Amino acid sequence: MNEKRAKSVLEQPPASEAPEGYVDIEYVVEPNYAGWRLDRYLGEKIRRLSRPRIQRIIQRGLVCERRLKPSTLVFPGLTFSIRRSLSTEPETPTELPIVYQDDWLLVLDKPAGLPIHPTARYQKGTLVSLLRERFGERFAEPAHRLDRETSGLVVCGRTTEACRVLGRLFLSRDVHKEYLAVCEGHPPEDTFFVDAPIAEGTELIRIAVRIDRAEGKESRTRFQVLQRFVRDGAPFALLRCYPETGRQHQIRIHLHEAGFPLVGDKMYGPDPGYFDRFSKHCLEPEAWERLRLPRHALHAGHIAFPHPGTRQAVSFDSPLPGDLVDFMDGKALAPGPGEGSESAA
């Protein structure tokens, strides 16, 4: 291991404590967002909110030692909070398995149901909050994001330099990622490829994406069938997914486009209205039965990239989690109501 050390992830003095009945949702700007407008940065972190709404939140005032405007250019380590009234927070997993740790990196195996970053609905029950609670402030910062329901590998940087290098690697597509997915149906070919441009937003769900060959950005995913199986008389398959680009919800929308949606996907599954009703806590029992799983069946199982300190290739793996193994084995499951809407994190 290269002993070269970068400065610890920037430390900031704590903001004033939120009054009773309120909570401060803290943000610390990562090195790869340097030079972004503040409203664009928050739009990336809170994708469910429109840019005009984010601008209004900033204009009303953020908890920060300096005055911030929507046009403020952010810099690494800038710390601020959004103060909001406290509401009952849904329960989320509390385990945080460590796959690898050194002076530069922390690789975690995120359980399904755990958001990565704090949101309006999730403040304490997030990967970032658990990291700070267990290891202290600025111990590590996630270098990328997974959807709340997606399980698997999350890479975190432990120094400012590591965060900067990792951010550049993810943006430049120098990170090789593989996912495991359980889809509906039996794809006829053992390998297939989806090349379908992705654009943000749909008529029903603002945070969803859509296939749009006129306005979408290039998006390509290769799929390999690992196993075909039948459960309760219906066909399913275990796939290995190789995203060649890194668009939001790419694997999910591409499987929907191919006609083999993810099991349990409320946004790109059998009914476009499921997600709205799920968000409002009124998804009917028949819908849960049709979804078959309480979360979408996607797992980040492999990741490889140059180490930010040594520049040597490193790779990490996570096995298929128990709920998906049980589904494939035909074991009894108990799908039921989830809590809250899906986080973009």
Side-chain angles (χ1 to χ4, degrees):
M1 176 61 61
N2 189 336
E3 292 299 324
K4 179 182 177 183
R5 299 291 300 275
K7 292 182 180 179
S8 297
V9 177
L10 292 173
E11 298 182 0
Q12 294 285 338
S16 58
E17 188 174 343
E20 185 176 354
Y22 288 83
V23 63
D24 288 341
I25 304 170
E26 185 184 67
Y27 296 86
V28 182
V29 176
E30 302 89 341
N32 49 303
Y33 294 103
W36 284 34
R37 282 175 55 110
L38 177 59
D39 54 0
R40 183 187 172 203
Y41 171 79
L42 272 179
E44 178 73 8
K45 295 298 181 181
I46 321 175
R47 295 184 179 180
R48 64 184 180 80
L49 298 184
S50 67
R51 192 158 184 172
R53 185 173 176 188
I54 286 174
Q55 290 173 340
R56 290 195 296 271
I57 291 173
I58 297 171
Q59 289 164 350
R60 284 200 302 267
L62 303 175
V63 181
C64 186
E65 293 187 340
R66 55 178 292 186
R67 178 68 178 173
L68 299 175
K69 301 184 294 184
S71 61
T72 298
L73 301 183
V74 303
F75 55 86
L78 173 64
T79 302
F80 62 87
S81 299
I82 297 176
R83 180 163 291 172
R84 64 178 299 275
S85 58
L86 188 62
S87 58
T88 302
E89 183 173 345
E91 290 187 8
T92 58
T94 57
E95 64 269 22
L96 206 58
I98 295 176
V99 176
Y100 177 82
Q101 179 179 338
D102 65 17
D103 290 340
W104 292 77
L105 293 176
L106 178 69
V107 182
L108 303 168
D109 195 351
K110 185 184 86 68
L114 181 66
I116 289 186
H117 294 284
T119 66
R121 177 168 288 273
Y122 299 93
Q123 296 97 40
K124 295 182 179 179
T126 70
L127 184 143
V128 167
S129 299
L130 290 176
L131 275 177
R132 294 175 181 175
E133 175 186 312
R134 297 181 184 181
F135 300 104
E137 292 290 319
R138 315 295 176 259
F139 180 81
E141 296 290 341
H144 59 118
R145 58 175 70 233
L146 292 180
D147 293 334
R148 181 176 64 83
E149 290 189 4
T150 301
S151 55
L153 297 167
V154 176
V155 178
C156 304
R158 293 201 56 206
T159 68
T160 299
E161 175 67 7
C163 290
R164 185 188 65 79
V165 172
L166 289 169
R168 188 176 69 241
L169 290 174
F170 276 94
L171 287 175
S172 64
R173 303 178 188 173
D174 288 327
V175 178
H176 176 75
K177 293 180 284 186
E178 297 176 13
Y179 292 76
L180 295 171
V182 179
C183 73
E184 299 191 22
H186 282 171
E189 304 293 333
D190 288 342
T191 61
F192 60 101
F193 187 78
V194 178
D195 185 348
I198 294 175
E200 296 181 356
T202 68
E203 291 184 5
L204 288 178
I205 310 170
R206 198 191 67 80
I207 65 171
V209 299
R210 68 184 191 278
I211 301 299
D212 191 319
R213 302 191 184 278
E215 300 181 6
K217 298 179 180 179
E218 64 169 350
S219 307
R220 300 178 303 276
T221 312
R222 181 165 53 92
F223 298 95
Q224 176 187 8
V225 178
L226 300 180
Q227 180 181 339
R228 295 178 179 88
F229 64 99
V230 174
R231 179 188 169 99
D232 300 327
F236 301 94
L238 173 66
L239 309 176
R240 189 178 298 278
C241 316
Y242 304 87
E244 294 185 1
T245 52
R247 309 299 176 200
Q248 179 183 358
H249 299 176
Q250 176 175 314
I251 292 172
R252 297 165 61 188
I253 191 68
H254 276 180
L255 282 175
H256 172 84
E257 177 74 1
F260 307 105
L262 277 180
V263 172
D265 198 330
K266 293 171 277 296
M267 192 174 286
Y268 306 103
D271 186 325
Y274 279 1
F275 180 77
D276 180 63
R277 300 199 295 279
F278 168 72
S279 301
K280 296 174 180 175
H281 311 287
C282 60
L283 190 58
E284 59 275 12
E286 294 80 5
W288 284 111
E289 184 176 350
R290 177 65 183 83
L291 287 165
R292 303 177 189 274
L293 279 174
R295 62 103 161 192
H296 60 240
L298 186 63
H299 178 71
H302 175 81
I303 194 164
F305 53 91
H307 189 283
T310 67
R311 304 301 193 264
Q312 298 298 310
V314 293
S315 64
F316 306 98
D317 293 277
S318 169
L320 197 67
D323 61 336
L324 303 189
V325 173
D326 288 347
F327 181 84
M328 294 178 61
D329 288 345
K331 295 182 180 179
L333 303 171
E339 287 287 350
S341 62
E342 178 167 310
S343 169

